[in-house]
Amino acid sequence: MKFFLAFLGFSLIFFAPTKAQLSKAIIDIGLPCVSEIGLTSDVATEVQKGNFIGALGKWSCFADCVSQKVGIVNADYVFQVDNFKGRLNDFVLPGRIEEFMTTCQPKIGEGKCKASGEFYHCIANVILKEIFE
């Protein structure tokens, strides 16, 4: 469950720069996506046990759902790079955006539940590596 909450926060922080906007984003975007994709406590339990592979499909679907609701992934499940960059411009240093794109753009997929999940996972790994090194 901690992973889910961290992933939810990480996903939404890109799209909601203020605390009030983040709270609203969780209610308006995050929670409906949990319901829409059928994210269950069983999936969260698998993640807690370290079985990320078994839960990856649901987490990728969650990432795509959130990304669709904010215009980063279109209705055909195609990642919109310019929209992603535009969302980040207001609160992420431009050099960081380019770093994320250089490192993680190859992880952008196509199709339902494949467009954004691995891309966001890559960005999270870049950030976590910096924090823990």
Side-chain angles (χ1 to χ4, degrees):
M1 188 57 100
K2 290 178 186 176
F3 177 79
F4 168 70
L5 295 174
F7 187 76
L8 175 62
F10 174 75
S11 299
L12 295 176
I13 202 114
F14 281 130
F15 312 119
T18 69
K19 187 175 181 179
Q21 288 171 325
L22 180 58
S23 296
K24 184 166 175 34
I26 290 170
I27 292 169
D28 293 348
I29 298 170
L31 294 179
C33 283
V34 168
S35 295
E36 285 176 33
I37 64 164
L39 192 62
T40 65
S41 59
D42 292 339
V43 174
T45 300
E46 287 302 308
V47 170
Q48 282 181 319
K49 291 178 184 176
N51 183 9
F52 296 104
I53 301 301
L56 186 58
K58 289 291 187 182
W59 297 115
S60 295
C61 292
F62 176 78
D64 281 359
C65 180
V66 170
S67 294
Q68 268 192 328
K69 291 187 182 301
V70 297
I72 303 298
V73 171
N74 70 16
D76 294 325
Y77 298 97
V78 176
F79 192 90
Q80 306 297 303
V81 172
D82 290 338
N83 292 356
F84 174 78
K85 289 180 180 179
R87 289 284 186 171
L88 292 181
N89 278 337
D90 291 339
F91 57 99
V92 175
L93 296 172
R96 289 306 308 240
I97 295 170
E98 291 309 316
E99 176 189 353
F100 293 152
M101 295 311 299
T102 300
T103 304
C104 300
Q105 192 163 1
K107 300 290 186 178
I108 294 172
E110 289 186 22
K112 186 175 183 178
C113 300
K114 296 179 183 174
S116 63
E118 286 189 41
F119 175 72
Y120 294 139
H121 185 253
C122 177
I123 292 173
N125 283 338
V126 168
I127 294 168
L128 290 172
K129 184 177 177 182
E130 290 174 7
I131 291 171
F132 292 108
E133 277 193 344

